[in-house]
Amino acid sequence: MTTGKTMTLKLHVWRQAGPNAPGKMTDYVANNVNEHMSFLEMLDVVNEELTKTGEEPIAFDHDCREGICGACSMVINGIPHGGHKGVTACQLHMRHFQDGQDIYIEPWRAKAFPVIRDLVTNRSAFDRIIASGGYVSVNTGGAPDANALPIPKKDADQAFDAAACIGCGACVAACKNASAMLFVAAKVSHLSHTPQGKVEAGDRARTMIAQMDAEGFGTCSNYSQCEAVCPKEISVKVIADLNREYIKSSLLK
Amino acid sequence: MKLDARCPSGPIEQRWSNHKMDMKLVNPANKRKFKIIIVGTGLAGGSAAATLSELGYQVDAFCFQDSPRRAHSIAAQGGINAAKNYQNDGDSVQRLFYDTVKGGDFRARESNVWRLAEVSANIIDQCVAQGVPFAREYGGHLANRSFGGAQVSRTFYARGQTGQQLLIGAYQALERQVQAGGVKMHTRHEMLELVVIDGHARGIVTRDLVTGKIESWAADAVVLASGGYGNVFYLSTNAKGCNVTATYRAFKKGAGFANPCYTQIHPTCIPVSGDYQSKLTLMSESLRNDGRVWVPTQQGDTRAPSQIPDSERDYYLERKYPSYGNLAPRDIASRAAKQVCDEGRGVGPGGRGVYLDFGDAIKRLGAKVISERYGNLFDMYTTITGEDPYSAPMRIYPAVHYTMGGLWVDYNLMSTIPGLHVVGEANFSDHGANRLGASALMQGLADGYFILPYTIGHYLATAKQPKVTTDHPEFKKAAEDVRARTTRFLAIGGKRTVADFHRTLGALLWEKCGMGRTEKGLKELLQEIPVLREEFWKNVNVPGSDASLNMALENAGRVADFLEFGELMVRDALDRAESCGGHFREEFQTPDGEAQRNDAEYCHASVWEYQGEGATPVRHKEPLNFEFVELQTRSYK
């Protein structure tokens, strides 16, 4: 019962057998691509064909396929997630492409995100940044009633806007410095907009920035490329929040 | 197999308190001597790992994703229930308990459900303390909305991303413990065997998905928090990686599997658009707060929805279930959608769809209010379908979403294998035959934050097992089994891909063991699945090597287990000759098409015991006693 028009696409995909193997762009033709397919479903079809011919399928990270888990991570025609506003690669649909179009598909490229295979990179640096301070230091149990401390709706909404980060790393991939500033700032901004998170706001900003540097991410030079590609449309204003907490805490230290 | 649920007796509201008092404790200085393995780091596993480490235990946590933050709990949209009664609308622990027992069609254990309702309020407190940005009113207090199967507003939410925000809370608590040294986190590791020594669960064998290395891990207790098995149907709202392997491997080592036929079909998902489809996307149940579900009154009416006048629309949920209307529970709303489509009144390509219409709500409240409430869901719908739900109704259809069945556990969340604990969707305990909306997040976090941390201590304090190392022969054997299976997949060199087999299995199960099940169809499946499985082992094509990242190999292992598990699910569905909740046997329905239970013969949990390769598993029963809620026909009319 498949409906919708079909097209043929010329793919150029980064293939790399392992972390230390050399990689190169390889050409494939994707036939019978339906306009209603997601980008990853298009790759599924290509992979099925590759498997049938005995070639290893293109490895790529993916899981929820509804734009929320943050697993999918590929640069499509030079733009992380493909350049449609507020959309991850898994939610990018083929109706946005033309029959016969060339599509270049590459992994995130950043020193702190080494390639594991093909389009799959190691983003564990993000976990280590969170571990360095991206939390409220509270143990389970003994929390006061949830309504004991009202939080102005505006603060709660701002906290949410920043907390919407899915940790995909597109911000790093888009940045010419491979900076993780938007990622770090989103967490700092989220928590510093809640009264529970304010307590450690300064220390958090400093330890997370230190970890970001230690992981090999670059610094921020305010080009805002990160905001442009962020699938959750997190504003670079959060970086101002981070800078405020960082400077305040560095002065008061 | 002995099934002792170990439920406390006495007044139900005192059972958990009394039980906590009766359980043995581990002294703080001794906790660090115990190692606990946790498989899966979603809401249940992540919260358990963090909490156990805070208590002082050594935790080894494993997930197959590249980060614990990506577990599928993240995809839950609508909300989390808690009996806070902040809305002053008559909610209470007792009402949440009652709604859950009734919603589950009287197939859950009363003691467990009461405890779940009792700790629900603590969860919200804990999450707020972690900085979870729940929706708030202008006065700064928490906002609520309604979900199916309840007449009170007890659902807390964070826009349409509640699961994500709760998981990030648990994940941050977990990473804090990683930093503190209490949790060792192993990402991109998949559990492929459970190790049982002297009858106790003592460890696991994993495959490092990056290097292919097979590794063994020993511990004093093992916790499975590996989620549900909805992907046995291939197409479901589950993430692509969700699988039954961890729980099925435990089943093959002797853990009883309870009620595998209880699967939840969610009424509001985006319909299938083509054969290439890799997954289905849920549109949150919360949409039914404002959306009205309808189909044309006439069969084969192909007019655009805007051209069909109100008098020629059938708002069938409002018509059939006036007191709950569009918020009828999931199983009931799904079956009603199937019925109207079976009558030839479905809409969209293929006629498998119904309208979810916001026209009236937009007229009443304005597009801005609707956008504030559901904006991200509307955007998601537009992204996927290319259609605009502000100007035309959404088209939706039921899809597999959640599985109520799982490994059998006692009141302490321990399986039939001593030391093997199971939490979250992976166990069977709290939702009976149908889970209410916004209750999965509640159960996952209840188990992980507030129940397991107490009960596992009791096990550790009383089990008195000697320490073991991975040099034990059982570890060697389990690792050898994993290696042999991996080698076997790669050696087949057949013609069909893993996904091709998975799709075929899924289509068979959806057709005959999905929303409607018959004795005839189920018996056919018992013939067809073994044939497909046999072909899989002869004709599957798994390219590549076992010494690197090989996603085809990972999937082959998962699909191989689904091909066995699917048969168990069918066997259970055939055995349960009644309809209840999500399990609808077409032979057993009331004259108006509702599920007809048979309490005289089936008021029990069915627990299956593995009997070896090729042998039929044996069914045991845990009788369900209803002391506090009277067994009655479930009605939402």
Side-chain angles (χ1 to χ4, degrees):
Chain A
M1 56 155 275
T2 304
T3 57
K5 60 173 195 256
T6 61
M7 51 192 139
T8 300
L9 299 164
K10 289 180 256 176
L11 305 187
H12 312 278
V13 186
W14 182 260
R15 300 302 307 263
Q16 181 175 337
N20 303 311
K24 66 175 171 69
M25 297 300 284
T26 304
D27 299 343
Y28 302 99
V29 174
N31 292 307
N32 297 317
V33 176
N34 185 287
E35 62 172 339
H36 295 310
M37 285 179 179
S38 70
F39 199 84
L40 303 191
E41 283 168 346
M42 182 275 290
L43 286 179
D44 288 343
V45 173
V46 171
N47 276 342
E48 291 269 295
E49 292 305 312
L50 287 180
T51 305
K52 284 177 194 158
T53 62
E55 198 175 331
E56 281 196 64
I58 302 158
F60 59 92
D61 265 325
H62 66 99
D63 202 19
C64 78
R65 297 203 176 193
E66 47 189 84
I68 194 72
C69 76
C72 64
S73 43
M74 52 187 79
V75 176
I76 299 163
N77 285 342
I79 306 175
H81 293 306
H84 281 260
K85 203 168 151 50
V87 166
T88 52
C90 67
Q91 292 286 281
L92 176 63
H93 281 69
M94 299 314 293
R95 66 181 77 94
H96 300 296
F97 294 86
Q98 313 288 322
D99 190 26
Q101 192 177 341
D102 287 279
I103 305 180
Y104 293 82
I105 310 171
E106 296 165 85
W108 284 177
R109 299 219 185 262
K111 183 177 152 201
F113 289 161
V115 172
I116 292 172
R117 186 187 181 105
D118 298 340
L119 307 173
V120 178
T121 57
N122 180 347
R123 289 171 285 178
S124 55
F126 270 10
D127 289 338
R128 290 188 292 275
I129 291 176
I130 295 295
S132 74
Y135 43 74
V136 174
S137 296
V138 58
N139 283 358
T140 303
D145 183 83
N147 258 351
L149 189 59
I151 302 178
K153 185 172 187 302
K154 191 169 152 245
D155 289 347
D157 286 349
Q158 281 182 348
F160 183 94
D161 288 343
C165 169
I166 57 175
C168 64
C171 46
V172 174
C175 178
K176 64 174 188 168
N177 301 340
S179 172
M181 203 68 165
L182 192 70
F183 171 78
V184 173
K187 187 47 59 197
V188 167
S189 176
H190 157 209
L191 293 175
S192 61
H193 277 103
T194 67
Q196 295 82 4
K198 258 199 179 92
V199 181
E200 302 165 281
D203 287 346
R204 178 181 305 119
R206 277 186 293 108
T207 56
M208 289 180 76
I209 288 284
Q211 188 65 33
M212 177 181 102
D213 292 345
E215 295 289 349
F217 293 101
T219 49
C220 176
S221 31
N222 297 316
Y223 277 75
S224 307
Q225 299 261 10
C226 49
E227 178 184 294
V229 300
C230 175
K232 295 296 147 188
E233 302 180 73
I234 292 172
S235 160
V236 289
K237 282 187 207 155
V238 296
I239 296 180
D241 290 338
L242 168 64
N243 287 337
R244 188 184 315 117
E245 295 298 346
Y246 185 83
I247 293 166
K248 202 163 68 181
S249 135
S250 304
L251 291 175
L252 295 175
K253 194 169 55 160
Chain B
M1 179 175 281
K2 193 167 152 279
L3 298 173
D4 178 2
R6 293 189 179 85
C7 288
S9 52
I12 197 157
E13 64 277 8
Q14 291 170 18
R15 285 184 179 181
W16 178 229
S17 306
N18 290 342
H19 190 68
K20 281 193 281 191
M21 204 47 216
D22 292 342
M23 282 187 291
K24 296 274 181 289
L25 297 172
V26 179
N27 144 349
N30 285 339
K31 286 198 176 92
R32 75 177 77 98
K33 296 177 188 160
F34 288 109
K35 178 166 274 189
I36 299 168
I37 283 173
I38 299 182
V39 180
T41 54
L43 285 181
S47 59
T51 305
L52 291 168
S53 170
E54 289 162 10
L55 288 170
Y57 296 108
Q58 300 174 53
V59 176
D60 264 314
F62 297 83
C63 68
F64 68 77
Q65 298 91 344
D66 73 322
S67 165
R69 69 176 296 149
R70 308 211 197 282
H72 185 57
S73 308
I74 205 156
Q77 298 169 352
I80 175 166
N81 288 328
K84 281 287 200 185
N85 194 31
Y86 283 162
Q87 304 305 322
N88 194 31
D89 56 0
D91 200 12
S92 62
V93 169
Q94 189 168 1
R95 189 173 295 281
L96 176 52
F97 160 73
Y98 175 78
D99 285 349
T100 307
V101 170
K102 178 186 171 191
D105 215 352
F106 305 91
R107 289 294 175 263
R109 207 188 269 152
E110 279 188 332
S111 297
N112 286 54
V113 178
W114 184 281
R115 175 177 63 185
L116 176 67
E118 187 179 328
V119 303
S120 66
N122 303 95
I123 298 170
I124 305 302
D125 299 342
Q126 184 62 34
C127 294
V128 166
Q130 292 170 342
V132 170
F134 284 117
R136 287 180 184 267
E137 306 291 357
Y138 282 99
H141 293 101
L142 291 156
N144 289 114
R145 58 187 172 199
S146 303
F147 257 64
Q151 288 176 315
V152 294
S153 271
R154 63 160 75 96
T155 305
F156 294 79
Y157 63 100
R159 285 186 211 163
Q161 302 170 11
T162 316
Q164 186 205 18
Q165 294 308 322
L166 296 176
L167 183 63
I168 288 175
Y171 157 73
Q172 288 171 186
L174 171 66
E175 290 297 339
R176 174 171 168 250
Q177 293 306 309
V178 170
Q179 187 81 345
V183 176
K184 287 201 180 65
M185 186 65 230
H186 308 273
T187 60
R188 294 197 196 266
H189 277 66
E190 181 163 26
M191 168 187 154
L192 294 175
E193 273 302 344
L194 176 75
V195 178
V196 179
I197 296 172
D198 298 331
H200 289 250
R202 296 311 301 273
I204 62 171
V205 176
T206 61
R207 180 170 177 272
D208 180 328
L209 301 181
V210 175
T211 64
K213 191 175 172 200
I214 311 288
E215 290 164 287
S216 297
W217 310 85
D220 297 289
V222 176
V223 179
L224 297 186
S226 52
Y229 49 82
N231 271 350
V232 68
F233 290 94
Y234 185 71
L235 283 180
S236 82
T237 66
N238 286 189
K240 292 297 285 176
C242 294
N243 66 78
V244 76
T245 290
T247 47
Y248 193 72
R249 296 274 129 208
F251 166 71
K252 290 181 95 167
K253 285 288 170 76
F257 209 112
N259 304 329
C261 79
Y262 290 167
T263 52
Q264 175 162 86
I265 318 281
H266 196 294
T268 56
C269 302
I270 298 177
V272 176
S273 70
D275 305 330
Y276 49 79
Q277 190 123 9
S278 62
K279 78 154 280 169
L280 296 171
T281 303
L282 175 74
M283 286 285 106
S284 168
E285 180 159 312
S286 61
L287 292 167
R288 290 194 275 145
N289 273 282
D290 287 304
R292 298 179 71 194
V293 177
W294 64 276
V295 289
T297 313
Q298 293 298 318
Q299 288 180 351
D301 188 339
T302 55
R303 286 177 292 174
S306 58
Q307 301 303 308
I308 302 177
D310 225 36
S311 60
E312 293 173 48
R313 298 175 176 192
D314 179 12
Y315 294 93
Y316 57 88
L317 287 176
E318 296 171 26
R319 172 172 59 80
K320 290 168 79 168
Y321 309 103
S323 37
Y324 284 71
N326 292 295
L327 283 173
R330 292 176 176 176
D331 53 338
I332 287 174
S334 290
R335 268 198 298 281
K338 179 174 185 284
Q339 276 165 11
V340 294
C341 292
D342 288 348
E343 289 163 20
R345 298 195 286 142
V347 299
R352 304 312 293 184
V354 301
Y355 290 125
L356 177 62
D357 195 339
F358 294 86
D360 288 348
I362 291 173
K363 253 184 242 154
R364 192 175 69 244
L365 303 164
K368 186 161 173 283
V369 172
I370 294 300
S371 164
E372 270 174 20
R373 287 186 189 168
Y374 313 110
N376 69 316
L377 298 169
F378 276 41
D379 292 349
M380 192 194 269
Y381 184 84
T382 303
T383 301
I384 293 171
T385 61
E387 295 167 16
D388 172 26
Y390 291 99
S391 55
M394 289 183 178
R395 274 184 304 110
I396 53 161
Y397 196 68
V400 175
H401 180 57
Y402 184 88
T403 53
M404 284 73 66
L407 289 180
W408 183 88
V409 289
D410 63 14
Y411 190 69
N412 290 334
L413 303 180
M414 190 162 82
S415 71
T416 55
I417 300 175
L420 180 70
H421 294 72
V422 191
V423 292
E425 190 180 352
N427 75 26
F428 90 113
S429 64
D430 296 344
H431 307 295
N434 173 58
R435 177 176 65 74
L436 291 181
S439 284
L441 304 183
M442 171 173 69
Q443 187 222 336
L445 290 180
D447 287 0
Y449 283 135
F450 297 112
I451 300 172
L452 182 77
Y454 291 88
T455 60
I456 205 166
H458 177 71
Y459 168 77
L460 294 169
T462 53
K464 309 280 184 216
Q465 291 296 301
K467 292 285 172 193
V468 293
T469 69
T470 55
D471 295 331
H472 193 284
E474 285 297 325
F475 276 99
K476 304 276 176 216
K477 184 176 169 298
E480 213 32 66
D481 290 346
V482 170
R483 253 178 231 112
R485 205 157 50 236
T486 305
T487 312
R488 194 174 160 200
F489 286 130
L490 292 168
I492 297 168
K495 294 217 169 359
R496 288 179 70 181
T497 62
V498 175
D500 195 16
F501 280 101
H502 196 176
R503 262 194 296 269
T504 305
L505 173 69
L508 283 173
L509 289 172
W510 178 242
E511 169 74 22
K512 296 174 186 171
C513 193
M515 270 193 284
R517 300 159 174 184
T518 63
E519 182 181 345
K520 179 171 170 288
L522 293 167
K523 284 188 167 160
E524 285 165 6
L525 284 176
L526 289 181
Q527 304 295 317
E528 289 159 341
I529 296 173
V531 172
L532 184 66
R533 191 165 61 227
E534 196 178 328
E535 195 203 335
F536 174 87
W537 284 105
K538 284 184 186 147
N539 195 29
V540 75
N541 180 355
V542 184
S545 91
D546 63 352
S548 64
L549 184 74
N550 185 341
M551 288 173 174
L553 179 62
E554 293 164 27
N555 285 329
R558 294 168 193 167
V559 172
D561 287 335
F562 277 138
L563 281 163
E564 292 184 23
F565 173 78
E567 189 177 329
L568 182 70
M569 185 169 92
V570 170
R571 212 171 276 289
D572 188 44
L574 184 61
D575 178 74
R576 187 168 284 278
E578 65 162 352
S579 294
C580 56
H583 170 63
F584 193 71
R585 283 281 300 271
E586 290 176 10
E587 304 94 323
F588 307 100
Q589 53 181 308
T590 61
D592 50 355
E594 304 293 344
Q596 190 155 47
R597 287 198 326 263
N598 177 350
D599 293 329
E601 289 177 79
Y602 293 97
C603 194
H604 60 251
S606 299
V607 187
W608 296 85
E609 183 181 13
Y610 185 66
Q611 299 291 314
E613 220 62 62
T616 306
V618 170
R619 201 253 299 106
H620 302 271
K621 293 180 190 175
E622 181 202 337
L624 297 169
N625 303 312
F626 289 89
E627 300 170 62
F628 301 91
V629 180
E630 196 189 334
L631 276 169
Q632 51 177 282
T633 300
R634 190 166 159 244
S635 169
Y636 292 92
K637 297 187 175 190

